[in-house]
Amino acid sequence: MSDKELEAEKKAELASEYDASQIQVLKGLEAVRKRPGMYIGSTSAQGLHHLVWEIVDNGIDEALAGFCDEINVVVEPDNSITVTDNGRGIPIDIQKETGKPALETVFTVLHAGGKFGSGGYKVSGGLHGVGASVVNALSTELDVYVTRQGKEYYMDFDHGHVKTPMKVVKEGVSELKHGTRVHFKPDPEIFRETTVYNIKTLTDRIRELSFLNKGLKITIEDKREEKPTRQEFHYEGGIRHYVEFLNEGQEVLFDPPIYVEGEDKGITVEVSLQYTTGYRSTLMTFTNNIHTYEGGTHETGFKTALTRVINDYGRKSGQLKGNTTLSGDDVREGLTAVVSIKHPDPQFEGQTKTKLGNSDARTATDHIFSEMFARFLMENPDTAHKIVEKGMLASKARVAAKRAREVTRKKSGLEISRLPGKLADNTSKDPEISELFIVEGDSAGGSAKQGRSRLTQAILPIRGKILNVEKAGMDRILANDEIRSLFTALGTGFGGDFDITKANYHKLIIMTDADVDGAHIRTLLLTLFYRYMKPMITNGYVYIAQPPLYQVRQGKFVKYVESDEELQNVLNTLQPSPKPVIQRYKGLGEMDAEQLWETTMDPEKRHLLRVDLDDAAEAEKIFPMLMGTKVGPRREFIEENAKFVENLDL
C-alpha cells in the first residue's frame, strides 16, 4: 500500500470517529468557567474588578428605574466582596419557564434577567443578562439575602451550583425595608494572576458612577487594613460636579459649569461643560454609565451643536465679522465637557465596543443641547462673549499653525536629512521592528549613532529642554524646531490629525541622562506625547530607557548597575582585594559607543520601562497641575510630596 493510500485510510478512520460524542455541549455555567474571557474580558486584574461592576450595575439599574438611592460596596478582609442595595430586591416568585424561584434563575441561568423585552427595566447598563450568573460561576462561594414584602430570603452557591436552596430566614420585616445583599469570593483557579482587589481602581469607578447617577449615594469600605477606610460619594448635581472635579486647580472662564438635561423619544441626555483659560480640551462621553472611549453618535451630536450654536451667536452679536467661521477645534479649545446619555437600546460598535452607533442618539443630543445652550448664551452675554473670543483666538493660532504644519510632512529621506533635528534614520522600512531613540544632547547622540543597530534603530538628538506644551498654543509648538523634527520623523501627524497607522516606528524610546535635567526633559516629552500623540501611549509604543548609573570593575570582572541598592549588592559579593573600581556615569555622553550599546540599546541586554496610561481622568488633572501656568496647586503638590523624595541629584 502506497503512502498516499495509507494517509487516505487514516483520514477516513479519523473522520468516522468524529461523531456526536465528540461534540461537547457546555451546559449553563460550565461554559463561563471554560471561557471566562468571553464574559468578563479577561482573567487578569481587569476581569477580577469586572465582577464587582456586574453586581453594582444591578443596583444602578434599580436606581435608574427609580427604586434605589444607596449602594454599599465592602472589600472584606479575605478579598471577598459584599454589595448591598436598597432597590426592590430580586424577585423570589417561581419563574414559569424554569419552575425555579427567580432568585435562583438569575444566579444560575445565563441570559436570564429583567433587561429583555419591556418588562423589567427601561434603561440598563448591562444588557446581556449575564451579570449575576457569571459572577456566581467564577466564585468559589456566593450568598445572597433578599428583603422584600416583609420577609428576608437567603440562598447560597458553591462554584455556581446551588448549595442551600432559597429559604425564608426572617419574617415580619418592615414593609419599608427592601433590597439585595450579594457576597462573593472570586475563584483563584480562574483568577490566577491575582485575587487581590485594588482599592483605587474600585474607588475611581465608584466616584465616576456617582457622578453619572445624580442623587445616588455609593459607599466603598475597605476592611483589609487594621483601620478600615470608608468613602462616601453622593452628588446631587451629577455630571456638573464631574466637570468641576476634572477642572480642579485650573483657571476657569466662568463658574459654575453649564448643565443641560432633557429627554427626546425615550433618550435622556445630560451635558455639562465649562471652559478653562488653557488650550486643552477634555470631552468624556457615556452611554448608560458605560464610558464610550471611542465616542460615537452622541459625541458627534454634541460637537455639531456646540460649533453651530457658538457660530450663530457670534454672528448675531457681531463678534464674528464677514465670512469668519470657527471650526470644531476652535470652539473646543479649553473646553471640559461630560456628555451622558441613557438609551433604552444602545448599539455599540468599534473594536472595543465602546463606540455608540445609534443615529437617534445624535439627533437627541444635538436637539436638547443646542436648544438649551443657545438659550444660555442669550441670557449670559458676558460669558458668551468670552467663549466666542476664546474660539477666535484659537482660530488665529490655527491659521498660523497650518503654515508651520506643512513642514512636518515626511516626504523623503533627503528632506529629512535637512531637518534641524539631525535624524539618523534606520535602514529598515518595517515600522514593527523600527525603534526611534530620542537622545539628550549631541554628544550622547554621536555615541548612539555609532553604537546602534543601523537596520532597526534610528537616533534623534534633541538639544536642551523642549517647549512645555501645556503652556503653549499650537502656533508656538509648531514654531519649535525640536518638536517639529520629532513630529516629522514619526510621520503620524499630531493632535486631531494623528494617525497611528502611519507611525514610522513602533518603539519610541526616551533616552535621557539619569539626573534632574534628564528627568525634566523626559517629563516635557511625555507631556508632548500625552497631549498630541496619546495613541502612541495607549498602544504601548512609548518606552523609557534605563541607562546604568555605575560601572564596577575588578580585574576582568565588569558589571553595570542601575541603582545604589544594586551597587551595594554587587560590592558585597566581590573580594576586598584588589579594590573594585566604581565609575559613576553622570550622563550618557560619558559612555563610548560600545558601552552605550551593551548597556542601554542592545535588545538582548537593555532594560526598558513601558509608559502606560492607567487612569485618563487622573492624568487629565495631574498634567495641568504639574505643567500648567498656575503656581499655587504645583507648590502645594511639592510641599506635600517633598518628604517622599530620595536620592535628589543636587
Side-chain angles (χ1 to χ4, degrees), residues 9 89 119 134 219 223 347 371 530 555 575 579 650:
E9 196 174 294
V134 165
T219 67
K223 288 186 174 176
Q347 306 297 317
E371 195 179 299
Y530 179 75
Q575 299 295 325
K579 195 176 176 194
L650 295 169

Side-chain angles (χ1 to χ4, degrees), residues 166-177:
M166 188 179 85
K167 60 181 186 183
V168 176
V169 288
K170 212 182 271 180
E171 294 202 36
V173 181
S174 161
E175 290 280 343
L176 298 170
K177 215 171 164 210

Side-chain angles (χ1 to χ4, degrees), residues 608-621:
L608 295 180
L609 290 178
R610 188 156 82 188
V611 179
D612 281 329
L613 183 61
D614 289 334
D615 189 338
E618 190 70 15
E620 278 302 339
K621 288 178 71 181

Side-chain angles (χ1 to χ4, degrees), residues 30-49:
E30 289 169 41
V32 182
R33 290 188 64 83
K34 191 92 176 160
R35 300 268 184 277
M38 279 178 64
Y39 298 91
I40 58 166
S42 75
T43 54
S44 62
Q46 189 191 353
L48 181 77
H49 291 79

